[in-house]
Amino acid sequence: INHKMNFKETLQKIEESQAYTKFKEQNPNAELCAGFFILDFLESNDTKQSIDYKTEENIFTFYINKHNEIFMKQDRLLDESTRPKLKKINPEIKVEVDELKGIAGTNALDNGISAKIHKIIAVLQNYNGSITNDEDKIVWNLTCMLDGLIILNIIIDADTGKILKFNRKSMMDMIKKR
């Protein structure tokens, strides 16, 4: 159903929609703050794409469904004291959604992991922390699910494609922690 799914195309499609135009009239100060994609490489092809905007107190998520219709959902911003603040992102990124599997796969191989990638949850966000020397960077934050219950968390600089963080976990580790 879904053709090549990229952030800029998704953004453009959403921002050209009536739902968005109406939203923007009511919320002229809303800022683009995240892109969320689920890339499913199995038969089920449970692919999702959405884009988040925020105002002072709310977050608005625009989805594109299978029938190419656009929906908006509104949530209150959660108490920010415990969570990293959602910051505005610049949509002019160089690394696109369709390149993520290749980057993740190459990186997994460099780390001796040849298992097949089943699914990637990719969040485009403004990130800062020790791995960015506390600089704000627009990154792709990936959670990759592979054969053999391997889970990789990979953070990719969305401008350079550089890997900022690579972490391997297994599903079993996550179950044990509970």
Side-chain angles (χ1 to χ4, degrees):
I1 301 160
N2 235 316
H3 66 295
K4 219 174 66 173
M5 188 179 44
N6 272 332
F7 170 72
K8 285 182 191 141
E9 287 169 25
T10 304
L11 184 68
Q12 185 183 0
K13 198 176 165 57
I14 285 170
E15 294 194 341
E16 285 170 356
S17 73
Q18 271 178 313
Y20 177 81
T21 308
K22 205 169 106 188
F23 157 75
K24 206 51 184 162
E25 280 165 13
Q26 293 163 353
N27 302 279
N29 302 328
E31 294 178 338
L32 171 67
C33 65
F36 181 82
F37 294 82
I38 296 180
L39 313 177
D40 189 338
F41 306 107
L42 294 175
E43 295 304 304
S44 55
N45 195 11
D46 172 27
T47 305
K48 292 191 173 45
Q49 50 198 29
S50 65
I51 302 234
D52 289 346
Y53 298 84
K54 71 179 184 82
T55 57
E56 284 301 311
E57 58 283 329
N58 290 307
I59 188 148
F60 298 87
T61 302
F62 285 84
Y63 301 88
I64 302 180
N65 73 5
K66 294 193 198 21
H67 309 294
N68 258 333
E69 300 161 326
I70 292 171
F71 288 94
M72 185 186 87
K73 201 177 97 199
Q74 175 179 348
D75 276 316
R76 289 196 64 69
L77 268 178
L78 297 161
D79 170 30
E80 293 283 351
S81 58
T82 52
R83 299 167 59 92
K85 235 181 165 31
L86 279 168
K87 292 201 182 121
K88 183 175 176 174
I89 58 175
N90 171 1
E92 291 312 311
I93 56 166
K94 306 214 169 45
V95 178
E96 261 295 2
V97 175
D98 56 5
E99 300 169 64
L100 297 173
K101 186 185 186 190
I103 296 174
T106 304
N107 220 261
L109 285 171
D110 291 347
N111 284 274
I113 300 165
S114 57
K116 247 177 73 149
I117 298 178
H118 290 319
K119 193 182 253 193
I120 295 179
I121 299 170
V123 183
L124 182 69
Q125 65 186 120
N126 195 323
Y127 185 94
N128 76 22
S130 53
I131 60 171
T132 61
N133 295 321
D134 292 325
E135 269 180 81
D136 280 4
K137 276 197 191 317
I138 308 288
V139 303
W140 282 108
N141 191 341
L142 308 186
T143 302
C144 309
M145 288 144 205
L146 284 66
D147 257 351
L149 301 181
I150 296 166
I151 296 180
L152 305 177
N153 175 227
I154 305 175
I155 295 181
I156 301 169
D157 184 320
D159 281 326
T160 62
K162 211 175 121 222
I163 303 286
L164 302 176
K165 178 180 164 194
F166 180 93
N167 210 328
R168 175 184 176 157
K169 302 181 170 94
S170 93
M171 201 69 116
M172 297 324 278
D173 297 340
M174 294 175 88
I175 293 166
K176 278 184 221 138
K177 277 190 192 128
R178 299 240 154 96

